[in-house]
Amino acid sequence: MRPDNKKIPIKWFLFAAFVGLSTVFILLLWLFQVFFLPAFYDGLMQVRAGNAAEELLVASAEEDFTEKVQEIGEREHFCVNVYTVTDKVATQVQSTHMGHACFLHRMGTEEITRLYESAISNGGEYHERMKKDEDTRLLTIHAEYNANGEQIVIFLDNAVEPVVATTEILRVELRAISVFMLLLSAVLSFILADYISHPIERVNKQAKMLAEGKYEAEDSTVNYREIVELSDTLANAADELSRVDRLQKELVANISHDLRTPLTMIVGYGEVMRDIKEENTPENMQVLIDEALRLSSFVDDLLELSKIQSGSREKKEEIFSFNDEIEQIVTRYRHLKEHDGFTFSYEADEGESLVSADKGMIWQIACNLLNNAVHYSGESREIAVKCKLLNGEVRFEVRDYGIGIAEEELPHIWERYYRAKQNHRRTVRGSGLGLFIVRELLELHNARYGVSSRLGEGTLFWFALPLVLPPDAE
Ligand code: ADP
């Protein structure tokens, strides 16, 4: 496991992220309110002054120019000076004075000329923020020809102190707000981070417990969909793990038991037959053979399982008559089992039953299903095999009238190591691998398969393979 002390816990990460975010917003607020406000304000004032100058220029060609100058000056709180320039000589034609702080009426000719020249070199309009003593003013100079062809120079002067005062007030206010907001955001971030991270921490804790083999899903009021899903997945994984763990333990117990019992029998019978001549009978010999066969089939299952698990089982593609093979298998079972009182019926639909499959695997599947039918057929000892031709498929069915399988166990019987509860008797040979192997082999063939069963009434296993045309049919 990676050392977790190198990574910060999600709670503190979220906390830092929230506080960081609030800090960025506060900084943006400062930037806009304090640093950009004068620039915004100046821009706005310049546009207003520019518009007023345009209006005055138009008015300068009209009769009521004097009234207009007065009106605009009052409306906008501008001090206005208007000059006409003829042969480089400027003559003041209009003037309004709106407040004593104005610079316009206190400027010398030199400064006026400088401002005029700046306007000319700037394409006719020039703005300057001017600071003298305590006062700051915005000066706008607009030099252009009016409709009468006269060159008109308009000087406007307006106060900008309010914005200086405003930014100062804002700065003080913002300082207090910023401190307050930072504290508040720290507290809220902490609560929020705790609230968000809590379910994640909880699931993490549960997952750690799962690794130790314990798992308890708990309900919580704070739950997001992903966490609920994750928690469910963990609960399922825990179920699955504990089940596999239990099955595996059972398997080890079963395997040792299943290996030991035949071995004990073989050794016991062998010793008796060695020491006592009369015990050397065909019946006793048969016991030895049966027990050895039992061992060998058990080892076969284990080998098959390991092949399947390592993925080294390769499927051959052979075209053969399915019904013929099944018939052979059934005949073989009849020979083997009839003297034990088993009856095997076999029915097959008329017609070609060609399939493309691995013959060896089909034998193994059918034999495993038949073995189960034999083992679990109870007192009836009656087994019915059918091969049906249906919708382009050949369907194999094996039915017994034995102990059956409980409904809640049906979904599990295909799992590895699974043995139904009622079957843990010594007389029933089984590793719980047979149906798992059947399922794996059927899935290699993309075959459909299924089971229906009722406790005490018997079981029907089936699988279906697609039919193929004979190779020379095309
Ligand atoms: P086993 O080697 O134990 O037979 P299988 O994988 O073949 O293992 O079968 C799994 C379980 O399914 C068996 O232990 C048994 O409980 C149940 N089962 C399989 N076939 C039948 C059947 N024909 N009738 C009743 N139960 C069956």
Side-chain angles (χ1 to χ4, degrees):
M1 217 199 271
R2 275 183 297 168
D4 50 3
N5 50 1
K6 289 211 174 138
K7 302 256 182 253
I8 63 163
I10 181 157
K11 182 159 128 190
W12 295 116
F13 176 79
L14 285 174
F15 175 71
F18 289 144
V19 172
L21 197 69
S22 324
T23 314
V24 168
F25 283 136
I26 293 171
L27 283 178
L28 279 177
L29 206 68
W30 271 89
L31 208 65
F32 283 109
Q33 290 290 8
V34 176
F35 301 110
F36 291 158
L37 193 66
F40 284 151
Y41 181 78
D42 272 13
L44 209 72
M45 290 313 282
Q46 285 177 12
V47 171
R48 257 175 76 184
N51 289 343
E54 270 312 324
E55 220 178 311
L56 285 169
L57 182 78
V58 174
S60 69
E62 286 159 12
E63 297 281 298
D64 57 349
F65 187 35
T66 317
E67 289 87 65
K68 228 13 195 222
V69 170
Q70 198 65 32
E71 184 195 315
I72 292 172
E74 273 171 24
R75 191 184 72 202
E76 306 279 350
H77 295 287
F78 289 158
C79 286
V80 185
N81 265 359
V82 183
Y83 299 85
T84 54
V85 183
T86 351
D87 299 330
K88 297 198 173 158
V89 178
T91 326
Q92 183 170 339
V93 287
Q94 291 291 339
S95 176
T96 58
H97 193 38
M98 288 297 148
H100 27 267
C102 136
F103 292 164
L104 204 57
H105 296 92
R106 289 190 262 154
M107 269 195 276
T109 330
E110 224 169 86
E111 199 149 26
I112 292 178
T113 315
R114 179 183 68 79
L115 290 171
Y116 165 72
E117 276 164 3
S118 300
I120 294 297
S121 61
N122 206 36
E125 187 164 315
Y126 176 66
H127 303 273
E128 186 170 307
R129 195 178 235 272
M130 208 178 259
K131 201 168 163 51
K132 275 186 196 156
D133 307 326
E134 288 297 287
D135 299 326
T136 312
R137 314 277 303 176
L138 179 74
L139 284 152
T140 301
I141 301 91
H142 192 87
E144 224 182 297
Y145 287 90
N146 70 2
N148 295 344
E150 299 161 302
Q151 191 188 7
I152 305 287
V153 185
I154 300 159
F155 282 75
L156 299 175
D157 170 313
N158 65 296
V160 287
E161 284 96 334
V163 77
V164 178
T166 312
T167 43
E168 204 39 53
I169 294 166
L170 276 175
R171 226 180 274 249
V172 174
E173 201 182 42
L174 267 184
R175 221 167 288 160
I177 290 178
S178 301
V179 172
F180 176 71
M181 294 254 281
L182 267 176
L183 286 176
L184 188 72
S185 86
V187 173
L188 288 181
S189 300
F190 182 81
I191 295 170
L192 210 60
D194 190 53
Y195 186 78
I196 295 176
S197 62
H198 183 67
I200 300 172
E201 282 168 356
R202 207 187 62 235
V203 172
N204 188 26
K205 207 166 85 195
Q206 289 170 348
K208 279 186 189 156
M209 273 164 56
L210 176 63
E212 291 162 15
K214 296 174 257 169
Y215 186 85
E216 273 162 46
E218 41 173 289
D219 280 332
S220 164
T221 41
V222 197
N223 265 332
Y224 333 113
R225 201 182 60 212
E226 289 80 358
I227 294 290
V228 173
E229 280 174 11
L230 182 60
S231 185
D232 287 351
T233 313
L234 282 179
N236 285 342
D239 269 3
E240 207 50 30
L241 278 179
S242 70
R243 221 169 51 75
V244 170
D245 190 44
R246 181 172 51 78
L247 289 176
Q248 223 142 9
K249 281 185 189 138
E250 274 177 27
L251 175 81
V252 175
N254 289 347
I255 288 183
S256 12
H257 184 260
D258 288 337
L259 285 178
R260 200 178 322 111
T261 318
L263 285 174
T264 317
M265 299 269 267
I266 291 171
V267 173
Y269 271 77
E271 281 174 352
V272 170
M273 287 160 76
R274 180 196 62 198
D275 299 340
I276 308 168
K277 274 257 150 43
E278 297 77 63
E279 289 294 329
N280 213 334
T281 61
E283 291 77 38
N284 283 351
M285 200 54 126
Q286 189 58 45
V287 174
L288 285 188
I289 295 172
D290 283 350
E291 292 302 323
L293 282 176
R294 187 199 284 268
L295 273 182
S296 128
S297 97
F298 187 56
V299 171
D300 283 350
D301 273 1
L302 286 179
L303 274 179
E304 192 62 36
L305 174 75
S306 84
K307 271 194 222 157
I308 287 172
Q309 278 179 331
S310 66
S312 63
R313 194 78 157 86
E314 270 180 31
K315 185 184 86 153
K316 285 191 225 130
E317 292 283 349
E318 296 157 286
I319 295 187
F320 59 91
S321 162
F322 184 81
N323 290 359
D324 289 354
E325 298 303 318
I326 299 298
E327 198 172 351
Q328 279 185 45
I329 299 173
V330 175
T331 314
R332 196 167 288 188
Y333 269 83
R334 273 197 195 117
H335 283 311
L336 275 171
K337 299 285 173 189
E338 249 168 9
H339 58 269
D340 291 334
F342 286 96
T343 55
F344 291 86
S345 69
Y346 173 70
E347 271 175 48
D349 285 350
E350 284 294 321
E352 281 278 38
S353 60
L354 288 184
V355 291
S356 165
D358 186 312
K359 210 189 276 182
M361 290 186 188
I362 297 299
W363 268 74
Q364 192 168 358
I365 295 166
C367 289
N368 277 3
L369 294 178
L370 274 161
N371 282 340
N372 280 352
V374 168
H375 290 136
Y376 304 112
S377 67
E379 294 302 306
S380 90
R381 302 198 165 195
E382 213 181 307
I383 290 142
V385 178
K386 282 187 185 160
C387 289
K388 296 180 176 168
L389 298 176
L390 270 178
N391 309 326
E393 285 181 329
V394 58
R395 179 180 161 112
F396 169 87
E397 287 182 3
V398 51
R399 172 186 287 283
D400 66 69
Y401 302 92
I403 59 170
I405 305 165
E407 202 177 328
E408 65 273 12
E409 304 212 65
L410 273 182
H412 300 297
I413 55 168
W414 303 97
E415 294 168 14
R416 134 186 34 177
Y417 314 137
Y418 191 84
R419 298 176 73 191
K421 289 196 185 81
Q422 71 269 27
N423 293 339
H424 291 244
R425 291 176 287 128
R426 154 72 188 133
T427 43
V428 177
R429 177 207 73 103
S431 55
L433 294 174
L435 286 181
F436 174 72
I437 293 170
V438 167
R439 185 186 77 181
E440 292 293 309
L441 296 182
L442 284 172
E443 280 176 3
L444 262 183
H445 283 85
N446 294 323
R448 299 190 306 117
Y449 59 92
V451 55
S452 52
S453 184
R454 265 185 185 218
L455 212 52
E457 289 181 21
T459 309
L460 178 129
F461 278 97
W462 65 270
F463 68 86
L465 287 172
L467 289 168
V468 294
L469 291 173
D472 51 5
E474 290 112 50

